Amino acid sequence: MAMQKFFSVLLPDVKRELRRGIIECSKRGLLHSTKWLAEMHHGLADVHIDNEAPDEDRTFSECQLEGIAPEEYSDYFLAKSYYDVREYDRAAHAVRNCESSVPRFLHFYSSYMAREKRRLDSTTDQANLHEPNQMRDLADLLATLRMEYGKSRLDGYGIYLYGVVLKALNLNQAAEQMLVQAIRLVPMLWSAYLELSPLIMEKKKLLSLQLGGHWMRHFFMAHTYLELYLNDDGLKIYEDLQASGFSKSIYLIAQMALVYHNKRDVDKAIELYQALLESDPYRLDNVDTYSNLLFVKEMKTEMAQLAHKAVSINKYRPETCCVIGNYYSIRCDHQVAISYFQRALKLNPKYLAAWTLMGHEFMELKNTNAAIQSYRKAVEVNKRDYRAWYGLGQAYEIIKMHYYSLYYFKIAHQLRPYDSRMLVALGETYEKLDKCENAVKCYWKAIDVGDIEGIAMYKLANLHEKLGDHETAVHCYIMYCEDERAATDKQSLYQGFITLANYYEKKSEYERAAYYAYKCLDSEDRKMEAKALLKTIDWKRNAEGQKKVKTTSAVANADTSSEDEMEWEMQDVRVRVPITSIATTTTSTTTAATESASSSSLISLRPDRNLIQGMRRSQASRTSLTAPASSTTTTTPSATAVTMSTEEAPGTSGGTSNPPEQAPSDDNSSMEISSVSID
C-alpha cells in the first residue's frame, strides 16, 4: 500500500510516456535525454501495452512530424541530417526562417551547440573554462532567447534552452526558475533535471521545489540526493523504484553502485558494476568510477583488463582515457597517467573526474602548484566536488599555508558533514594553528560520526599527551588500541602500545606493562625498545618478589623464635648465647636452642648471598643486610636485633669473619638471632 502511494502510476502508462518522450527528444536533437529515456523504456520490456503506438490518437509517423509545418519538412530534414553529423552551423542556417516549434528549437539549439563546439575546440587543458569571447557569443544568444520568451514564442523545450544559457552565464537564480518551468511543461525532459540538479545546494531547497506531481520527480530527487551526498536517502528511493517495477533498469543499477561507492562499501559497488558490465558489456558510462574502485582495492589485473576492453570499444571517450590514466597510476607511472587525464580533458574540458585525478597525480609528483591549478579547475566545473576542496586543503597544508588549508577543509566538511576524513583534517589544521580546543572537538566528532581511517582516537590521545594531560591521553590510547583490526596505521598502533607500556611500568603495574610491550615485538621499529622495557620489567618484578619473600621469611622466623622462647620460659631454662656463636655456628652444639638459632641464621643468609652477587653483576648499588627490628620487637620485646654489613655476614668473604669486640647482651632476656633481609 505504501509502495502504491509512492508510485501510483501504472507501468503501461509509464511505458507510453517514455515512448512519446523518446520521439519528442529525438526529433529535437536532445541525444542524452533520448538515450536515458530509451534505457528506461528497455527496462520495462516485460510490460506489455495494448496500443503499440506512442499515443492513443496518433501513429508513429504522425508523432514524429508533429510540431513541424508541412512546408518546412524539407528544411527540417536537411537541418536534422547536418545536426546528426555535428555540422551545427549548417543545421542552424538551414532552419533559420522556420516558424514552427520543432524547427525553431532546432535552430536555437544548433546555434548553442555550434558555440559550445568552438569553445571546446579552442579550450586547452591550461586555458580558462569561461573565456570572455565565448561568453560574448552566449550573451548574443541569450538576448535572442529573452526576446522570444517575452513574446511567449518558446515552448517547454525552448524554455529549457533558455535556462541552460542562463546557467552557462552564471545567472543561476534565473536559470533555476526557467528550468523548473520547463520541467512542469515537459516532465519527460531528463536533461532539464540534470541541469537543475547542480543548482540545488541543500536538502531543504530540494524539498521546496514546485516540480508538479509527475512520477519523473522520484528519479530527480534520488539523483540530487546523490549529488548532495545524502546517500541513504537516494538509496531508499532507488530501492522503492526497483520494487515498483524498474528492477531491470540499467540506470538504476548504475546509480545504486554509485551510492555504495560514495558510502565506501567498495565490495558491494564492485559487485554491482561487474553485474552491470555482464548485462551490457559495451557500456562505457561509469567505467571511470569502476576503475577508481579497482584502484582502491589494488586489483591490477582487473584494471588492466578493463583498460584494454575500454580501448577496444572506443579509445576516444573521456571515460576510456580516465581508465587508462588510473591503470598507469596504479603502476606508479604518474607522468603517463597525467598525459591520459589531459587527453580526456581535451575531449571534454568539463570532465570533472579527470581534473580531480590529475590533481592527485601532481600531488604524488610533489608538484604542488600544478595540483592546486587542477583542483581549482575541478571546483570551477562543479563547486560541490568535495574531493577537489579536500585536495586544495592538502596542497596548501604541504606548503604550510595553514589558514588557506583551514578554509578549504571547512568547505569540504560542509559538503560532507558526516565524513570523518574532513573532520580529522580540520583537527590537524587546528592543532598546527595552536587551537587545541577546536582540534579536540573535531577529533571527538570524527569518532562520533564513525572514524573511516581509524586514526581520530590516536590523534586525540597524541594531542592530550602534548598538552600534558597524561591520564586522558592514556584513556584515549587504551580505546584506540582495543580494536587492533580497525587501526589502519600500524605504526600509530605500535606507538600507542609502547606509550601504554611505559606508563604502566612507571606505575609498577608490571602485568599490564608487559602485555603492551609484548605487542610491540611485532614491529621492527619498536622491537628493541620493547625488549629493553621487558628486561626492566622483569628485573623490577624479580626484585619486588625477592623483597616480598624476605619479608615473609623474617616474619615467619620471628614467630618461630618467640614460640621457642615461650617453651624455654615454661621450663624455666635461661640460656645465654655468646656473640661468638654467630661466627662459629658449626661448633656451638651445647644446646638445642643455639643449634636452632644458628642453623636458622645460615639458611636465611644463603639466598641473600646469591641475590647480592646478582645485584653486583647488574651494577646495582650495595645494599646492607639488616634484620628488621620491628619483627622482633613485636613478638619478643626482650630480643635484640643484630645488624651486620655484607662484609661481616658469614660466608660472604670466603671465610669466617672476626667477631665484634663487644656483643650486646641483656641479663634479663635470652639472645636471639633474627633472619636477615634486604632493606
Side-chain angles (χ1 to χ4, degrees):
M1 191 69 181
M3 187 59 61
Q4 185 70 18
K5 184 179 179 181
F6 168 78
F7 198 85
S8 58
V9 184
L10 298 177
L11 291 180
D13 295 335
V14 171
K15 192 169 183 178
R16 289 190 185 92
E17 287 192 72
L18 288 170
R19 188 172 293 180
R20 179 63 185 267
I22 292 169
I23 295 173
E24 294 298 326
C25 291
S26 177
K27 66 186 181 184
R28 288 174 172 83
L30 299 170
L31 303 180
H32 291 288
S33 292
T34 304
K35 174 184 172 182
W36 185 86
L37 293 170
E39 287 183 350
M40 297 301 299
H41 184 273
H42 185 268
L44 298 176
D46 296 337
V47 178
H48 300 284
I49 53 179
D50 297 333
N51 185 5
E52 293 298 328
D55 200 312
E56 295 180 355
D57 301 327
R58 286 177 290 274
T59 62
F60 269 110
S61 58
E62 290 175 345
C63 290
Q64 289 173 344
L65 295 176
E66 184 182 4
I68 308 171
E71 62 273 13
E72 296 174 353
Y73 283 168
S74 58
D75 291 338
Y76 167 76
F77 291 143
L78 179 64
K80 186 65 167 58
S81 64
Y82 290 151
Y83 180 90
D84 290 340
V85 295
R86 303 185 65 185
E87 296 184 14
Y88 300 122
D89 286 314
R90 294 184 72 186
H93 181 76
V95 288
R96 66 188 184 280
N97 296 322
C98 295
E99 295 296 330
S100 54
S101 61
V102 174
R104 191 70 173 159
F105 174 83
L106 188 60
H107 167 71
F108 292 131
Y109 195 62
S110 297
S111 300
Y112 169 75
M113 293 298 292
R115 288 166 170 78
E116 279 293 293
K117 186 176 183 296
R118 282 195 294 271
R119 185 178 69 83
L120 296 180
D121 291 344
S122 63
T123 300
T124 63
D125 52 352
Q126 300 296 327
N128 192 346
L129 293 177
H130 300 290
E131 295 181 356
N133 293 334
Q134 305 301 328
M135 294 301 103
R136 281 196 293 271
D137 290 343
L138 287 179
D140 295 339
L141 180 60
L142 176 65
T144 303
L145 290 172
R146 181 183 289 118
M147 182 178 63
E148 292 289 321
Y149 179 75
K151 295 179 180 179
S152 301
R153 296 184 61 186
L154 295 179
D155 59 1
Y157 296 96
I159 294 173
Y160 152 73
L161 180 59
Y162 185 23
V164 169
V165 175
L166 287 169
K167 181 185 172 186
L169 294 173
N170 291 324
L171 301 172
N172 293 332
Q173 187 174 359
E176 178 186 331
Q177 295 175 357
M178 293 298 104
L179 291 171
V180 169
Q181 184 177 350
I183 288 171
R184 293 179 66 89
L185 292 173
V186 190
M188 299 302 297
L189 183 55
W190 179 242
S191 296
Y193 295 101
L194 294 182
E195 293 289 343
L196 177 61
S197 182
L199 301 178
I200 310 302
M201 301 304 295
E202 56 184 7
K203 182 178 180 179
K204 183 178 179 181
K205 185 175 182 180
L206 174 63
L207 297 176
S208 65
L209 291 176
Q210 301 297 324
L211 299 176
H214 197 271
W215 56 268
M216 280 283 287
R217 74 184 188 280
H218 298 302
F219 291 94
F220 168 70
M221 296 284 287
H223 174 82
T224 309
Y225 278 139
L226 261 65
E227 291 290 311
L228 295 172
Y229 301 108
L230 300 173
N231 300 298
D232 293 331
D233 295 333
L235 181 61
K236 178 65 169 60
I237 295 178
Y238 285 133
E239 289 175 346
D240 291 341
L241 287 171
Q242 281 189 327
S244 300
F246 293 93
S247 58
K248 294 185 178 180
S249 172
I250 293 176
Y251 170 77
L252 286 186
I253 297 174
Q255 289 296 102
M256 292 182 73
L258 184 59
V259 169
Y260 287 113
H261 168 267
N262 292 343
K263 290 167 66 69
R264 300 180 65 85
D265 190 347
V266 180
D267 295 330
K268 181 65 174 178
I270 289 177
E271 179 185 345
L272 288 175
Y273 277 123
Q274 288 175 345
L276 193 63
L277 291 177
E278 288 178 4
S279 62
D280 191 359
Y282 297 99
R283 176 188 174 96
L284 289 179
D285 297 341
N286 306 114
V287 293
D288 50 351
T289 305
Y290 180 38
S291 68
N292 291 337
L293 295 168
L294 297 178
F295 183 92
V296 170
K297 296 288 287 186
E298 297 184 357
M299 301 169 69
K300 296 182 180 180
T301 303
E302 290 79 358
M303 179 78 82
Q305 293 173 350
L306 182 64
H308 283 293
K309 184 176 181 179
V311 170
S312 66
I313 296 172
N314 186 355
K315 66 179 180 179
Y316 296 110
R317 279 281 294 268
E319 292 86 351
T320 300
C321 296
C322 185
V323 171
I324 299 173
N326 278 334
Y327 167 71
Y328 281 106
S329 179
I330 203 173
R331 294 178 55 185
C332 298
D333 196 344
H334 303 296
Q335 198 62 54
V336 179
I338 288 172
S339 67
Y340 275 97
F341 292 137
Q342 289 174 339
R343 183 178 299 181
L345 291 168
K346 288 179 181 178
L347 294 170
N348 181 9
K350 289 188 175 183
Y351 186 38
L352 176 64
W355 285 118
T356 306
L357 293 173
M358 189 165 67
H360 296 342
E361 296 304 310
F362 279 126
M363 290 286 284
E364 292 290 340
L365 295 175
K366 311 300 182 186
N367 190 345
T368 310
N369 291 332
I372 290 173
Q373 292 300 318
S374 298
Y375 290 136
R376 287 192 182 280
K377 296 289 186 182
V379 170
E380 195 174 325
V381 173
N382 185 359
K383 293 182 179 180
R384 288 195 312 219
D385 182 23
Y386 78 94
R387 298 177 183 87
W389 293 109
Y390 183 71
L392 283 170
Q394 286 183 316
Y396 280 105
E397 184 179 25
I398 290 174
I399 59 179
K400 300 187 184 305
M401 299 179 68
H402 299 305
Y403 280 102
Y404 281 82
S405 181
L406 182 65
Y407 171 76
Y408 293 120
F409 282 143
K410 281 184 176 180
I411 297 177
H413 169 59
Q414 290 174 358
L415 293 170
R416 295 273 287 186
Y418 300 106
D419 194 326
S420 63
R421 294 170 297 174
M422 313 299 129
L423 290 163
V424 170
L426 272 175
E428 290 175 339
T429 308
Y430 277 126
E431 192 173 341
K432 290 172 183 175
L433 293 172
D434 294 327
K435 297 181 178 181
C436 297
E437 185 177 350
N438 291 337
V440 169
K441 291 179 181 178
C442 289
Y443 291 143
W444 275 119
K445 188 173 181 181
I447 295 167
D448 291 339
V449 300
D451 188 10
I452 296 173
E453 296 177 324
I455 200 172
M457 186 60 74
Y458 171 76
K459 294 285 185 182
L460 191 62
N462 199 18
L463 177 58
H464 281 298
E465 190 175 8
K466 290 179 181 178
L467 295 175
D469 189 357
H470 297 291
E471 294 297 328
T472 306
V474 166
H475 178 69
C476 293
Y477 275 126
I478 291 173
M479 295 175 65
Y480 174 66
C481 296
E482 277 180 354
D483 192 358
E484 298 180 31
R485 291 176 295 180
T488 56
D489 187 1
K490 295 301 179 184
Q491 294 304 318
S492 299
L493 184 65
Y494 291 127
Q495 173 64 31
F497 285 146
I498 201 67
T499 302
L500 290 172
N502 284 314
Y503 173 80
Y504 285 118
E505 185 269 333
K506 290 178 181 178
K507 293 190 70 174
S508 301
E509 297 184 25
Y510 300 126
E511 292 295 332
R512 301 183 73 175
Y515 170 77
Y516 289 114
Y518 273 116
K519 293 280 189 181
C520 297
L521 295 178
D522 296 332
S523 172
E524 293 297 329
D525 297 334
R526 299 288 179 182
K527 183 183 291 184
M528 298 304 297
E529 185 178 359
K531 286 183 177 180
L533 184 59
L534 284 170
K535 288 181 180 179
T536 303
I537 293 170
D538 190 52
W539 183 85
K540 289 187 175 183
R541 190 185 281 168
N542 289 336
E544 287 196 359
Q546 291 291 343
K547 186 174 180 180
K548 290 179 180 179
V549 169
K550 300 312 171 188
T551 304
T552 305
S553 177
V555 173
N557 289 335
D559 291 342
T560 303
S561 298
S562 72
E563 289 174 359
D564 292 342
E565 280 193 349
M566 289 176 67
E567 291 178 0
W568 294 343
E569 289 177 357
M570 290 176 64
Q571 297 173 3
D572 195 21
V573 177
R574 297 190 180 275
V575 181
R576 292 191 178 186
V577 183
I579 194 64
T580 56
S581 64
I582 300 173
T584 59
T585 55
T586 57
T587 60
S588 302
T589 58
T590 56
T591 63
T594 55
E595 288 177 359
S596 176
S598 62
S599 61
S600 175
S601 176
L602 287 172
I603 291 171
S604 63
L605 284 172
R606 285 190 187 110
D608 294 337
R609 175 191 176 192
N610 296 332
L611 181 60
I612 291 167
Q613 291 175 351
M615 292 173 64
R616 285 176 177 171
R617 284 195 297 270
S618 61
Q619 297 181 356
S621 61
R622 286 188 178 180
T623 308
S624 61
L625 301 179
T626 308
S630 60
S631 63
T632 57
T633 54
T634 55
T635 56
T636 55
S638 60
T640 304
V642 179
T643 305
M644 296 178 293
S645 65
T646 57
E647 289 78 353
E648 295 170 344
T652 57
S653 60
T656 57
S657 59
N658 296 325
E661 295 180 357
Q662 183 177 1
S665 61
D666 190 354
D667 294 338
N668 298 324
S669 62
S670 62
M671 174 62 67
E672 175 183 285
I673 302 174
S674 65
S675 62
V676 182
S677 64
I678 300 174
D679 188 6

